[in-house]
Amino acid sequence: ARTGDDEEDASSQRETGGGSLERIYSSTPPELRLHLAPPNANAASPLRVFVVLDPLGKDAQRLPPLIRMMQEELNAEISLVLRPQRLVARPLGGYYRASAVAPAPPGGLAALGHWTGGAPLLRMELPPRRGQLLSAQLLAPEAWLCSPVESGGADLDSLPADAPSGSVGAKVKVHYVLEALFLEGFAEEVIAAGAHWQQYGRPAAGRQLALVPLGGSSTSAGADSVVVKSGYFQLRQSPGLYRLSLRSQNQEQLLRPSGLVQLTDLAGRGSSLEARVGQVQGVAALQHSDHPAPNEASESFEGIGGDPYVCNETLHIFSVASGLRYERLLRIMMLSVRTTTKCPLRFWLVENFLSPSFRRLLPGVAKSVGFAVSRVTYKWPAWLRPQTQKQRVIWAYKILFLDVFFPAQVKKVLFIDADQIVRADVRELWDTDLHGRVYGMVPFCGSGPPASLASNIWKSLSGNGGADDLRNPETAGFRFWEQGFWKGHLRGQMYYHISALFIVNLEAFRSTGAGDTLREVYQSLTGDPNSLANLDQDLPNYVQQT
C-alpha cells in the first residue's frame, strides 16, 4: 500500500522520467527520429513507447516488427530515436523478416485438434552478392522444436547469393513444422513424513525423469532426461497429456507432480515444472500408483545388423553433420562402419542441423545398409551463454550435452566425425578399457610427456632416438599445442587430444557430473569472446585434469 505522499513521489518520478525521454527525443536531429501516431485517433492510447535504437545493431532488424505490432494492435504512440554507434566490425551478417503465428484457440486439447496453426507465407527478396553463401535459419519461440521438412532440394547451409535469376537456387522455398514442445523444470530432493515434506534444499541431480504418454511408454529419445547439477531438467514431446515418471533403482518416489502434465501452451512462453523426488517414510519402495515405472523392455534402443554369431552387443555411434556436402560424407562414414563392423549398430544424429532431404533419405538408408538410427536434440538452456556462429554451435552440441542427449539405457557412445572413413572393426575402440575415466580420446602426435607412448613411437621410427627428427619443420607454426597458452597449460606433461574420434563412458560421465563441469567451465571461459577457438577440442583438453 502507498500513502498519499508515496503516490505524489511516484507521480513526480514518472513525470521526470517522461520529461527526460521527451527531451532526448526533441533534442535529436530530425533526420534521426521518427514519430508514429496512434492509428486510431478517436480511441485512447494506453501506451506511449520510446525506442532508442542503433540502426546497425544486431537487434535493429528484429525490433521494428514488434514496434509495428504494438502500434497496430495496442494503438500505441511510438517515438523512435536512432543512435548510431562507432563501427568496430561488420555490423550485420544477415537478413531478417518476422511473421506472426496465429494464436491457438481457447479450449485446450479439444480445440487444438481442429487448429491448423499455420503462419502466413514469409517472402524475402535479396539483392545479389557475388561470391557470398547464405544459410536459412528459423528463429522460433524458445519452447518450440521446429524443423524444415521441405526445401526443394536446396542446401539451406549453402545458398548462393549470386544465383542468376531463373536458375536453380535463385528461388528457394522452405517449409518448417513444429515437431514438439520443450518442457523445462527443476527437481529437488525431499523426505515425506506422513502429510509433511521435509526439504533437503538440494537439487535431485542425477535422477532420470521421463514423460510417458497416457496408455503408452516413452519410446522416443528426448522423452526422458537426466537432472543436471543445478536441478535443471529438460524434456520434449508433442502436445498432449503425460505422466512424469521417475526412473530409480533406489527407494525413491516422485512426490510432485501428483497429477498429469499438460503440454498444451503453444504461445511460445514455454512451461516450467517443479518436481520433488524423495522417500516416503514407512512406505514400501514402489513407484507411486499415479506414476508407474516405464516398461524397460519396450524402451530398449538396440541396434540391428551385423553377424549375431560374432557379436550381439549394440554399438552406439554418435555424429553430427550440417549441409548437403557433410551429409554425403556422413552416409559414406555410416556405410564404412557397417561394412567393417560385425556388431549391431545404432547411430545417433543431432537433428538440429539435418536437412529435409537427408531426413527423408535416412530411414531408407538405415534399412538398406543395416543399422538403426535415432535423432537427438537439446534446447540450448537460457542460462548458458549462447554461440552465434553456426559452426561453433555445432561444436558446442558435440561436447556440452553428452550427459543429457541419450536415454538412460545407453551406457557408452562412440563419436566419429562425419568426414572419416572407417577401415577396421570399431569394436576394438568400443572395448577399450577406460580405467574408470569418462573419455577415451586420440592425442596429437608429439604431444604429451617425453616418456609417453607417442614419443617412444617417434623414437622407434626415427631409429636414432630423436623425437623431432620426423616432424616436418614446415608445420612448426601450426603445432599450437607446443607454443603460447597451450604450452604453458599442458606443461609438457599432458596430451592435447583431437575431438574427431572419441569414446564416452556415459555412466561415469553422468555419475561424476562431467557434463556440469564442462558447462560451468564453458560459461566461465566464454566471457572472453577470444577463448575456446576450437571449442569442441579446447574445452575437454582444458579440463582434462578436473
Side-chain angles (χ1 to χ4, degrees):
R2 288 179 174 174
T3 65
D5 292 339
D6 292 335
E7 290 290 351
E8 291 179 2
D9 291 342
S11 176
S12 175
Q13 291 175 5
R14 286 194 297 268
E15 291 177 1
T16 301
S20 176
L21 294 173
E22 286 279 10
R23 286 193 296 272
I24 292 175
Y25 179 80
S26 60
S27 63
T28 300
E31 61 271 16
L32 294 178
R33 67 186 185 189
L34 176 67
H35 178 261
L36 300 176
N40 187 354
N42 298 324
S45 178
L47 292 176
R48 187 173 185 188
V49 181
F50 289 87
V51 181
V52 180
L53 182 65
D54 176 7
L56 293 179
K58 64 179 182 179
D59 295 323
Q61 295 175 306
R62 303 186 186 186
L63 193 57
L66 177 61
I67 296 174
R68 180 179 179 182
M69 183 273 294
M70 296 176 69
Q71 186 205 20
E72 294 179 350
E73 300 294 334
L74 303 178
N75 201 40
E77 180 181 357
I78 310 294
S79 297
L80 175 65
V81 173
L82 298 181
R83 284 286 181 90
Q85 303 297 313
R86 184 181 299 274
L87 296 179
V88 295
R90 185 173 61 180
L92 298 179
Y95 303 89
Y96 181 86
R97 295 291 185 275
S99 177
V101 179
L109 287 176
L112 287 178
H114 304 285
W115 182 58
T116 59
L121 179 66
L122 189 65
R123 183 181 181 88
M124 299 181 68
E125 294 186 7
L126 306 179
R129 292 289 185 268
R130 180 176 299 177
Q132 285 191 357
L133 290 176
L134 304 175
S135 62
Q137 181 181 7
L138 178 67
L139 302 178
E142 288 292 324
W144 290 14
L145 172 60
C146 296
S147 302
V149 294
E150 180 57 55
S151 64
D155 187 349
L156 299 183
D157 279 341
S158 183
L159 299 172
D162 56 356
S165 177
S167 66
V168 177
K171 183 177 181 180
V172 177
K173 184 176 181 179
V174 188
H175 181 204
Y176 292 90
V177 297
L178 172 62
E179 292 189 345
L181 296 177
F182 286 103
L183 173 69
E184 298 176 286
F186 289 87
E188 63 178 353
E189 292 183 12
V190 299
I191 290 181
H196 301 285
W197 285 344
Q198 301 175 3
Q199 297 190 30
Y200 280 140
R202 63 186 184 191
R207 273 51 168 211
Q208 294 159 358
L209 302 174
L211 276 180
V212 183
L214 295 182
S217 60
S218 57
T219 58
S220 60
D224 61 354
S225 181
V226 177
V227 180
V228 301
K229 185 178 181 180
S230 64
Y232 172 84
F233 66 88
Q234 179 186 126
L235 301 161
R236 75 176 189 273
Q237 279 282 19
S238 56
L241 298 177
Y242 299 89
R243 289 178 288 105
L244 186 66
S245 179
L246 170 68
R247 304 177 185 273
S248 178
Q249 303 299 324
N250 302 320
Q251 297 182 358
E252 291 184 325
Q253 298 184 31
L254 185 66
L255 305 176
R256 176 182 286 186
S258 59
L260 297 178
V261 176
Q262 300 185 32
L263 285 184
T264 58
D265 185 3
L266 301 182
R269 293 184 296 269
S271 301
S272 182
L273 186 67
E274 178 185 350
R276 291 181 176 177
V277 176
Q279 300 180 11
V280 180
Q281 296 179 358
V283 179
L286 296 174
Q287 285 279 353
H288 194 281
S289 59
D290 287 339
H291 308 281
N295 184 352
E296 295 291 340
S298 67
E299 295 187 6
S300 63
F301 291 89
E302 297 297 329
I304 62 174
D307 187 346
Y309 296 101
V310 177
C311 177
N312 290 316
E313 182 183 8
T314 295
L315 308 190
H316 296 276
I317 313 295
F318 173 49
S319 193
V320 58
S322 179
L324 299 185
R325 293 181 179 88
Y326 263 86
E327 288 172 351
R328 294 189 192 102
L329 296 175
L330 177 61
R331 294 200 297 270
I332 295 173
M333 184 272 285
M334 289 174 160
L335 178 60
S336 68
V337 175
R338 177 70 287 168
T339 302
T340 57
T341 303
K342 304 301 182 182
C343 298
L345 296 175
R346 177 173 288 272
F347 283 91
W348 298 84
L349 307 178
V350 182
E351 66 178 338
N352 303 45
F353 314 111
L354 298 180
S355 69
S357 58
F358 189 78
R359 290 167 182 258
R360 290 193 299 270
L361 288 174
L362 192 55
V365 172
K367 183 178 180 180
S368 62
V369 176
F371 58 80
V373 63
S374 295
R375 296 180 298 173
V376 294
T377 189
Y378 197 74
K379 184 176 78 71
W380 193 281
W383 44 265
L384 194 65
R385 185 175 289 108
Q387 292 291 327
T388 56
Q389 298 178 10
K390 187 170 184 179
Q391 183 58 57
R392 292 182 62 81
V393 173
I394 294 173
W395 288 344
Y397 268 85
K398 174 179 169 181
I399 210 75
L400 283 179
F401 306 119
L402 293 173
D403 54 336
V404 291
F405 260 152
F406 307 101
Q409 298 92 318
V410 180
K411 310 298 184 183
K412 188 191 300 185
V413 68
L414 177 64
F415 179 87
I416 304 178
D417 252 351
D419 57 358
Q420 296 189 72
I421 296 178
V422 177
R423 303 183 63 184
D425 194 327
V426 297
R427 187 180 182 183
E428 180 182 353
L429 294 175
W430 184 264
D431 291 337
T432 301
D433 186 357
L434 299 182
H435 302 286
R437 293 175 173 83
V438 298
Y439 280 130
M441 305 186 82
V442 181
F444 271 103
C445 294
S447 71
S452 66
L453 175 62
S455 296
N456 290 331
I457 292 176
W458 280 111
K459 293 177 182 179
S460 64
L461 291 175
S462 63
N464 57 9
D468 292 327
D469 292 347
L470 296 181
R471 298 181 185 181
N472 185 349
E474 295 182 2
T475 66
F478 299 97
R479 297 198 294 266
F480 56 87
W481 59 91
E482 298 177 355
Q483 53 193 303
F485 168 81
W486 285 109
K487 181 179 180 180
H489 183 73
L490 300 175
R491 303 187 307 277
Q493 300 301 315
M494 292 184 290
Y495 297 99
Y496 187 92
H497 305 83
I498 192 170
S499 64
L501 179 69
F502 59 89
I503 188 168
V504 186
N505 180 348
L506 289 177
E507 287 187 300
F509 198 94
R510 292 163 177 154
S511 64
T512 59
D516 295 302
T517 300
L518 287 169
R519 289 185 287 269
E520 289 172 0
V521 175
Y522 163 87
Q523 186 75 354
S524 173
L525 294 180
T526 51
D528 177 4
N530 297 316
S531 68
L532 299 179
N534 299 302
L535 195 158
D536 56 327
Q537 289 182 174
D538 288 350
L539 185 58
N541 278 286
Y542 182 82
V543 301
Q544 60 181 293
Q545 282 195 327
T546 302

